[in-house]
Amino acid sequence: MSSNMWKKAKPYLLTIGLQFGSAGMYIISAATLNHGMNRYVLIVYRNAIAALVLAPFALVLERKTRPKMTLSIFFHIMVLGFLEPVLDQGFAYLGMKYTSASFTSAIMNAVPSVTFVISVIFRIEHVNIKEVRSQAKVIGTLVTFGGALLMAMYKGPAINIVGSHDDGGHHESSSRTSSTHWAMGTLFILIGCVAWSCFYVLQSVTLKKYPANISLSCWICSMGAMQGAAVAFVAERHPSAWAVGWDTRLLAPLYTGIVSSGITYYVQGLVMKTRGPVFVTAFNPLCMILVAILASFVLAEKLHLGSIIGGFIIAIGLYAVVWGKSKDYSTSTSPTNDPTDLKDENEAHKLPITTTNGTKLTIIGGKNSSNQPAEMQFMTVQK
């Protein structure tokens, strides 16, 4: 492969690799929870390892740019540490316990739409219903919620996939139990989506005062681990719950902390420098497909017709929102009478943010062609 071909293929290969890494996170986490590991303990270990992974990079790369810590910033970090590591991960793991890994990964595709709604409520995102891009975002959001509602209300018959198996009466009994809690599990996952979206909005505000994204991510992981530990000590009082061995109890925290935080952060940064956040977000449904396939082999999960239809509808809604956001991005970076000045100014207002698990949020400011402040744009990338 020539250097030119590699340069063109590199963003695609790296982004596809990210989706495999994210799919592995869902599978390993589900397997660990199924084997009895307490979800609160997993959250503590995961974020503690993530903080240790990010700390050296923060100390070295941001030693000259890290601003002074203030009481206001510290309070924001405490809230951020509670929103994403504690609420989002906690409810996502709980919802996964009641549903499945493939179902959870499908519902998580609704995060961009939920973020859009919250941004509109807090007047961060502006909607002009006469514009096609705004219509696409609104329609995409409604379609996404419709798909999530369908998945919650209609489970449908099981679809046999190669690798899944039927274990007779036990499977039938567990299927009835799972159906009873299906709607509850969906509700828990959606609560996690809302917490994750609120995290994005508050993080954008915090980054204005503390523009050191690696250090901020490290602080959030640290606070999340401490707050998660406080919750875990109350919810799980048996010392044996904190034990790890040479199994998934050790693999899950290491994988989610290192791969889903350290490596994912670095790779997303490489891709976004050349292709932007929309490019990475467009590959999110690939993770949903990979999780469905891997879960059928590793976890013996069976897909249900409602999950397949609902996941497809959510993917359509996601792409509608992504398309509308890509038009926002194109408008905010369109050339004016002085393209060089505008490019420099937009670059000065372009801030990448990394969450506790490697998820990326990009805020794009600057001015538009009318020399007016361009609207902030929120874009999520696979967890």
Side-chain angles (χ1 to χ4, degrees), residues 292-354:
I293 296 173
L294 292 174
S296 67
F297 287 94
V298 180
L299 304 176
E301 288 185 358
K302 284 189 174 183
L303 281 177
H304 293 266
L305 182 60
S307 297
I308 295 176
I309 298 175
F312 181 72
I313 293 175
I314 288 176
I316 294 176
L318 169 67
Y319 277 117
V321 175
V322 168
W323 183 85
K325 297 305 299 179
S326 67
K327 295 301 179 181
D328 286 344
Y329 181 81
S330 300
T331 301
S332 65
T333 57
S334 60
T336 60
N337 294 333
D338 193 349
T340 304
D341 292 343
L342 181 58
K343 179 181 179 180
D344 292 340
E345 187 173 8
N346 280 339
E347 288 297 323
H349 289 80
K350 186 175 179 181
L351 300 175
I353 309 172
T354 304

Side-chain angles (χ1 to χ4, degrees), residues 162-186:
V162 177
S164 62
H165 61 272
D166 189 356
D167 53 358
H170 174 71
H171 173 76
E172 183 179 354
S173 174
S174 62
S175 179
R176 287 196 295 268
T177 304
S178 177
S179 298
T180 304
H181 298 93
W182 201 258
M184 185 181 299
T186 306

Side-chain angles (χ1 to χ4, degrees), residues 32-51:
T32 302
L33 296 174
N34 290 341
H35 281 82
M37 186 172 189
N38 186 281
R39 65 181 182 277
Y40 299 112
V41 175
L42 176 57
I43 291 171
V44 174
Y45 285 155
R46 169 178 176 168
N47 287 280
I49 292 174

Side-chain angles (χ1 to χ4, degrees), residues 187-308:
L187 177 62
F188 289 145
I189 298 171
L190 288 175
I191 292 175
C193 287
V194 173
W196 193 3
S197 299
C198 291
F199 173 87
Y200 283 129
V201 176
L202 180 58
Q203 192 181 36
S204 68
V205 176
T206 307
L207 198 68
K208 294 178 182 178
K209 302 178 181 179
Y210 196 82
N213 52 359
I214 309 178
S215 299
L216 181 60
S217 297
C218 184
W219 274 110
I220 292 171
C221 290
S222 301
M223 293 300 105
M226 283 190 262
Q227 294 179 73
V231 175
F233 283 130
V234 174
E236 182 56 72
R237 300 182 180 180
H238 298 285
S240 59
W242 295 85
V244 295
W246 297 105
D247 53 16
T248 55
R249 287 175 177 263
L250 177 62
L251 177 61
L254 288 175
Y255 184 93
T256 55
I258 296 175
V259 176
S260 299
S261 294
I263 296 178
T264 299
Y265 163 75
Y266 176 72
V267 174
Q268 283 182 345
L270 288 178
V271 176
M272 287 190 178
K273 285 181 179 178
T274 58
R275 294 302 182 108
V278 176
F279 179 85
V280 184
T281 307
F283 284 78
N284 281 7
L286 175 60
C287 177
M288 175 178 64
I289 298 172
L290 292 173
V291 171
I293 296 173
L294 292 174
S296 67
F297 287 94
V298 180
L299 304 176
E301 288 185 358
K302 284 189 174 183
L303 281 177
H304 293 266
L305 182 60
S307 297
I308 295 176

